[in-house]
Amino acid sequence: MPARRPGSPSARIVVRVPCPSASLAVWSAAWLAGSAAADDVLDALAPWSEAHDVVAADAATAAVTDLPTPDRAGTGMAALLVLARRRTAPIGADARLVMPAPGDVRGLPGPAALRVAALEAGECAVLAGAGLAAVPAPVADGVLRWTVHLVDDVPPGPHPSLSEAEHDLRGSVRDAADTLAAMDVARPRAGVREEIADALRRRPHAAWPAGTPGRPLRVLQHADEVEAILVAASGDDPGGAVSASAALARTDALRPLATAVRAARVAAVAETVRALTAA
């Protein structure tokens, strides 16, 4: 179960968080809605990197946002929060996690440069109410850089509801297990349980706002467990795959499960934001 630790103004939940963009989406929405302090946002990002800096994606974006261009030193994360506040309407505290993959860019708005960067990172925080999107990428030891893009038209959330995403995740687990067993490429190997447990231990634990409903937390936990199994299964070579064609079939069988993990995480973050920003 998630642990709680002291915080201001109330206890915060400490959970395994899927990626930096999830932390930024949830906490920036809470801050914009008035249910968190700016320091809470910065603290929640600390487990991902010792330092965070922010730059504009290009000169045109820099001119609109007053953020540094990519060729200059970045400014602090506080500047992004101030910018989001300035550009957000009083009832526009909407922020989302997008986790694109090749062939699946649901929820990712334009421009093209954002799509390229988000696909490379595998994640993006879209501050829909502010018309901004931020993509994280490490640029130096202990420094995570957030590149900010302007987005004019943010499409409505295309992912399933949390209940649908949870149902799909469980169904995908069953389907993948059945398919792998039928192909005889799911034989156990020594040490796999320890490998999965170690992967879960190493995932960053970060603060999540108090008041988050229990169901999104359970879905995030389940998605973490499934991803750890996916990584172990994908790295199992030969793992029962007696030929290149069998190995390819195993990859194909696991692909829907990876999609379900991403959708579950996006839905869990969306439900958390909805709960924290509800009037």
Side-chain angles (χ1 to χ4, degrees):
M1 292 296 292
R4 293 179 182 268
R5 65 180 175 85
S8 63
S10 58
R12 290 171 285 178
I13 308 166
V14 178
V15 297
R16 288 192 301 265
V17 179
C19 59
S21 296
S23 291
L24 179 59
V26 165
W27 280 100
S28 64
W31 179 70
L32 289 168
S35 58
D39 284 347
D40 292 329
V41 186
L42 304 182
D43 289 347
L45 291 170
W48 297 106
S49 182
E50 294 177 10
H52 297 257
D53 71 14
V54 179
V55 297
D58 50 42
T61 302
V64 173
T65 62
D66 293 326
L67 295 174
T69 51
D71 58 323
R72 297 173 55 196
T75 188
M77 180 58 68
L80 176 57
L81 298 181
V82 171
L83 174 64
R85 172 76 79 190
R86 175 163 56 86
R87 292 174 55 91
T88 300
I91 58 172
D94 178 22
R96 307 173 190 175
L97 167 66
V98 180
M99 302 190 78
D104 180 10
V105 294
R106 287 175 291 174
L108 186 61
L114 170 60
R115 292 183 174 242
V116 171
L119 276 167
E120 183 176 348
E123 61 177 279
C124 174
V126 178
L127 311 185
L132 302 170
V135 181
V139 292
D141 187 26
V143 180
L144 190 66
R145 167 162 291 184
W146 296 82
T147 300
V148 176
H149 301 254
L150 295 173
V151 291
D152 294 327
D153 298 312
V154 180
H159 282 270
S161 67
L162 184 60
S163 59
E164 292 171 332
E166 185 177 24
H167 180 269
D168 290 346
L169 181 59
R170 294 185 185 280
S172 295
V173 170
R174 291 193 299 268
D175 292 345
D178 291 344
T179 301
L180 293 175
M183 292 190 302
D184 194 26
V185 291
R187 296 172 187 169
R189 60 183 168 85
V192 68
R193 290 184 181 275
E194 292 78 8
E195 182 180 333
I196 292 169
D198 182 60
L200 290 171
R201 282 193 298 269
R202 287 187 284 105
R203 177 169 290 282
H205 286 63
W208 215 240
T212 300
R215 192 170 191 179
L217 298 176
R218 291 194 299 271
V219 171
L220 287 173
Q221 180 176 335
H222 187 204
D224 275 352
E225 293 165 353
V226 173
E227 183 186 60
I229 295 170
L230 265 173
V231 171
S234 299
D236 182 7
D237 187 16
V242 296
S243 67
S245 61
L248 180 60
R250 178 180 61 185
T251 299
D252 290 341
L254 293 174
R255 187 173 293 111
L257 188 53
T259 299
V261 167
R262 293 198 311 275
R265 286 170 165 167
V266 169
V269 168
E271 177 61 21
T272 301
V273 169
R274 187 203 64 77
L276 295 173
T277 60

